[in-house]
Amino acid sequence: MLDFITWNADPVLFSLGPITVRWYGLAFAVGFIIGYNIVAKMFKHEGAPEKWLGILLAYVVVATIIGSRLGHVFFYEWDFYSKHPAEIFKVWNGGLASHGGTIAIILSVFLFSWIVTKKPASWTFDKLVIPIALVGGLIRLGNLMNSEIYGGPTDLPWGFIFIRDGETVPKHPTQIYEALCYFALFALLMWMYWKKNAEERPWLITGIFFIGIFLPRFIIEYVKNVQVVSEYEMIAKYGINIGQALSIPFVLLGIGLVIWAMTHPRQHWKFPNKFEEEMQTKPSFRKN
């Protein structure tokens, strides 16, 4: 067996004139496409209006980009961006925080529920979080292709030497650790929805999602490199870094949601117009 894995992947998939396509961007795009189709099947399964899909996608995409960027700005490098505000808009230079994206998506779903569905936000959350787990795993693979967000030194046989980042000793491939956790969570949530009708217990799937995303994140942070200089002071003072501190409230929220879901009766949603336009174009068959 190898003592380590030498990693020198090119983060750029291909370039076409001024256009550069990176693995990270491809991971985002593929995740959103797959996620859209998954949620579409769920909407159809429950008889929700199909026109809501495009609206929800717009809400989520905007919230993800803006929230992730502002999360990095305020949670990790406010000292820098407060002095260079123009740099906030340069997303292509890197700097996205999943906690910020999560907060923004939560706010956008509440807004979407209030304006569009007129249903409790749990109805949307319990569908949306399922493909988000998949997207999270794909994004971590994008981080791997960028040779970023990896861990500290290790003597384990699967340690990666990230040549492109100037490393000379094997490091924990924490991107892979997180990706595997998120893919496993995605499989679990799909099983809960399609095989166990977990959507009938509002907030249950969402609660499991928060626990399954942020508890592994909290644990893996112990072997992950410090991402920004400001984290050293926090680790020395509290024994945890910024990512761990931001994960704790989401884990507690997830536990609370699971308890709430399991102590309340099942809910069967009803929609007055079950894909009305689609149903009108289908032939009807009647048994004599």
Side-chain angles (χ1 to χ4, degrees), residues 37-50 53 123 127 190 192-200 268-271 274-275 278:
N37 284 281
I38 289 173
V39 176
K41 289 182 179 180
M42 292 175 176
F43 273 35
K44 189 169 185 177
H45 173 67
E46 297 187 29
E50 191 174 17
L53 281 169
W123 182 84
K127 293 162 188 57
M190 287 286 282
M192 289 176 63
Y193 181 90
W194 291 107
K195 298 298 183 180
K196 294 298 179 180
N197 297 323
E199 78 282 0
E200 294 180 358
H268 299 279
W269 303 108
K270 293 182 179 180
F271 295 89
K274 183 176 182 179
F275 287 94
E278 178 182 331

Side-chain angles (χ1 to χ4, degrees), residues 7 24 35 41 73 118 150 183 214 260 263 268-269 280:
W7 187 256
Y24 188 88
K41 289 182 179 180
V73 169
K118 312 297 183 183
Y150 48 84
F183 290 147
F214 292 103
W260 191 95
T263 55
H268 299 279
W269 303 108
Q280 289 177 353

